[in-house]
Amino acid sequence: MPLHPVHPTPTTLHLSLHGRGAAADARHAARGFLDPPVGGGPPFPAPALEAALLVISELVTNAVRHAAGDCALDLRLRSGGVDIDVTDGSSEEPRARRPDQQGEGGWGWHLVNRLSTDVEIRHHHGPPAGKTIHVHVARGLLGG
């Protein structure tokens, strides 16, 4: 399915996502938006870019897996980094699980909280019901 990202302003991106390829589609669109930044400005240092792509991948994967439906990705460039919002139709909040050392998951929410700041869950009481998970990834992450 072709991607149709929407840029309401030069510094924002909106993408509706569907199905199993949603995380890959989100990463692809986000990389195109952030590297180099569509709205101009200095490029993201590699560690910050990779952290943002990992956070996006984790949030979208969890939205598709646990919300059983479509989700949306919204990005907003700010001078200090990028705001990331992932919206889905489930009111269930993510929860930290004990990471499985054998590769069975449990790492995602820990990674999101480690690589991001301003982590916030905004509930929508509908219609339609659901939530938006908001995070911020700083340009200066990991000394970048």
Side-chain angles (χ1 to χ4, degrees):
M1 171 170 55
L3 292 176
H4 299 289
V6 177
H7 297 278
T9 72
T11 59
T12 61
L13 171 122
H14 173 81
L15 184 63
S16 295
L17 297 159
H18 319 280
R20 295 178 59 189
D25 291 344
R27 283 190 309 273
H28 177 76
R31 184 177 293 280
F33 180 71
L34 296 171
D35 188 25
V38 168
F44 274 73
L49 177 63
E50 293 306 317
L53 295 175
L54 179 58
V55 166
I56 289 165
S57 184
E58 291 295 336
L59 291 175
V60 170
T61 296
N62 285 340
V64 170
R65 180 177 294 151
H66 300 292
D70 299 341
C71 64
L73 170 67
D74 289 280
L75 303 179
R76 176 173 298 130
L77 287 173
R78 293 182 17 196
S79 61
V82 61
D83 286 340
I84 300 166
D85 290 342
V86 175
T87 302
D88 65 49
S90 171
S91 59
E92 186 175 332
E93 292 193 9
R95 59 182 173 78
R97 295 185 344 196
R98 182 181 184 96
D100 185 295
Q101 301 297 322
Q102 305 304 316
E104 295 299 319
W107 296 96
W109 192 237
H110 296 286
L111 286 169
V112 167
N113 282 278
R114 179 73 175 205
L115 297 173
S116 310
T117 61
D118 304 335
V119 178
E120 180 182 356
I121 301 169
R122 303 172 184 153
H123 288 275
H124 310 283
H125 300 289
K131 68 181 173 302
T132 298
I133 299 177
H134 167 85
V135 301
H136 176 80
V137 175
R139 284 181 187 271
L141 180 76
L142 304 172

